[in-house]
Amino acid sequence: MFNGQTGEAWMLAHLARATQSDRFAQVATDALASACAVCAEPSAILTYARRVGVGLTGLGSLLFALEDAGRALGDTALREAAANVVTAPLEEVFAEVGFTELYWGLPMLALGLMALPPTPTRDQRLRAIVAALKDAPRVLDPELGLSVWSPRFGRPQAGLAHGVTGVSLALVRAGSYLQDAEAVALAESAFALERACYRPATRAWADTRDIADAHTYAAWCHGAVGIGLARLSCLRQLPAHHGLATDLRLIADTLSTQRVAGPANLCCGWLGQVDFLVEASSMLDPALAVPAHRWGHSVATHVLTHGYRSLSLDEGVADGPGLWQGLAGIGYLMLRLHDPAVTSCLLTFERTPDRGRQPSAQAQ
């Protein structure tokens, strides 16, 4: 889903829902045929998981895309393909692909499963993932006095794609549903590490706490945007959590005052910042929609004036088709700005409202 055909098809499914276009719906459905084939039988599912992984670039996002696109289109075949994933004994591959990063590992698989309608088998798989995350090795930070997960490439770090933020998001969402208080409580260690990574002088979040000159970010993959979006999602499950609300006020103040530098994409650029402001405007302060629409309008104006192929804003060029780092991501953001109640927040994998799409009398 990250930058592949499945992500582009997901965006087209939501475009079809917004425009009631049969043409977009058909292209989306055709493009998802290969994803459906992966989910045809348990052995194929396990082979795919072992070969590609279960994270954002693998089975977890594939599962989410099929279910969510199926909801957007009212397509039962897509949703049945997604539901078929739970028939595979996924626990068999946890030891091989059980990284604690959302980008590579189990947190994304948990969020993908959460998109499915509840069934006893789905909940069994979800409990197994939560148990694996609770048992995953953690590293003691003596200064903070807590143990946190360490990504496969180094020291414990904050961040949604490669750090503890993705783990906390999965544990709060799944743990709240499963009424697993231990899982939800474990997320507190991630919240504490993230707070320790904040740099007041620059009003930004570093990846690591104990490196004084660590680079700071304000993107979805690393830094304020991903941390803020995860906080918003967690706040829905923990509405009385004072610390989350305090953190969000700080993040919203930082991200609403100036557009961050970077390419025009959702992952490591500033389009994720716009999506945070869209989401936060409905939960924290409606005024946050003003900079979101202003900066979003600059993308639309550039496209209308120069076309997609020349979309070079700041340091980046977004002329590939991908969802997180290309044109499909721009299309998604336009749908969010148009009506965030119809197109739910992709960047925390929120489930689309189950209203489906009414077939149009004529393809548009």
Side-chain angles (χ1 to χ4, degrees):
M1 193 178 188
F2 180 69
N3 271 342
Q5 180 173 285
T6 298
E8 297 147 26
W10 178 91
M11 191 282 293
L12 288 171
H14 282 268
L15 184 60
R17 186 186 192 201
T19 62
Q20 297 296 297
S21 167
D22 293 336
R23 178 167 62 93
F24 293 142
Q26 188 61 56
V27 173
T29 302
D30 290 346
L32 288 168
S34 58
C36 290
V38 167
C39 303
E41 58 182 34
S43 61
I45 294 166
L46 293 180
T47 297
Y48 183 84
R50 288 189 171 100
R51 183 175 299 166
V52 184
V54 297
L56 180 56
T57 58
L59 183 65
S61 70
L62 202 73
L63 164 59
F64 176 86
L66 285 171
E67 167 64 19
D68 202 67
R71 282 175 170 268
L73 296 173
D75 189 319
T76 57
L78 295 178
R79 299 186 66 184
E80 287 169 359
N84 202 42
V85 170
V86 302
T87 65
L90 299 171
E91 296 87 343
E92 291 184 11
V93 301
F94 284 2
E96 302 170 52
V97 299
F99 307 116
T100 56
E101 299 169 65
L102 183 144
Y103 190 84
W104 302 108
L106 291 176
M108 183 66 241
L109 185 57
L111 294 172
L113 288 172
M114 286 291 294
L116 295 174
T119 66
T121 305
R122 186 211 71 157
D123 291 356
Q124 175 188 344
R125 304 295 185 222
L126 194 59
R127 287 190 183 92
I129 293 172
V130 170
L133 290 174
K134 289 194 293 186
D135 292 340
R138 295 192 291 274
V139 177
L140 175 66
D141 186 313
E143 185 172 327
L144 294 178
L146 52 83
S147 295
V148 291
W149 297 270
S150 178
R152 63 173 178 160
F153 293 132
R155 65 204 325 133
Q157 63 182 42
L160 185 51
H162 301 290
V164 299
T165 309
V167 190
S168 65
L169 175 62
L171 285 176
V172 169
R173 292 258 292 270
S176 297
Y177 167 75
L178 295 171
Q179 298 183 328
D180 186 334
E182 181 187 359
V184 176
L186 275 176
E188 291 289 346
S189 62
F191 299 156
L193 177 69
E194 290 159 348
R195 293 184 188 113
C197 290
Y198 180 64
R199 303 289 192 262
T202 57
R203 301 173 70 197
W205 278 259
D207 272 355
T208 52
R209 178 194 63 76
D210 53 351
I211 300 178
D213 60 347
H215 188 65
T216 57
Y217 304 85
W220 174 83
C221 51
H222 299 268
V225 171
I227 293 171
L229 282 165
R231 289 285 200 274
L232 288 171
S233 185
C234 290
L235 192 64
R236 289 192 178 93
Q237 311 301 323
L238 307 171
H241 196 296
H242 176 72
L244 291 179
T246 301
D247 295 340
L248 279 166
R249 285 192 291 270
L250 178 63
I251 293 170
D253 181 60
T254 299
L255 294 179
S256 62
T257 54
Q258 183 177 354
R259 203 199 80 193
V260 301
N265 69 44
L266 295 172
C267 180
C268 43
W270 55 271
L271 298 193
Q273 176 188 14
V274 176
D275 203 15
F276 168 82
L277 294 173
V278 170
E279 192 75 350
S281 69
S282 66
M283 295 183 63
L284 304 178
D285 182 357
L288 294 172
V290 175
H293 282 267
R294 180 171 69 249
W295 295 328
H297 180 74
S298 69
V299 177
T301 299
H302 187 101
V303 168
L304 291 172
T305 304
H306 304 289
Y308 284 112
R309 295 298 298 179
S310 62
L311 184 57
S312 177
L313 305 177
D314 293 342
E315 303 93 22
V317 178
D319 60 358
L323 184 52
W324 255 259
Q325 294 180 320
L327 301 183
I330 295 171
Y332 156 76
L333 190 67
M334 296 299 105
L335 290 170
R336 288 280 287 161
L337 290 167
H338 174 67
D339 191 347
V342 172
T343 305
S344 300
C345 184
L346 167 68
L347 297 185
T348 48
F349 308 95
E350 307 294 339
R351 189 165 60 179
T352 290
D354 195 6
R355 293 197 295 262
R357 185 185 69 92
Q358 298 300 318
S360 61
Q362 176 180 348
Q364 298 178 22

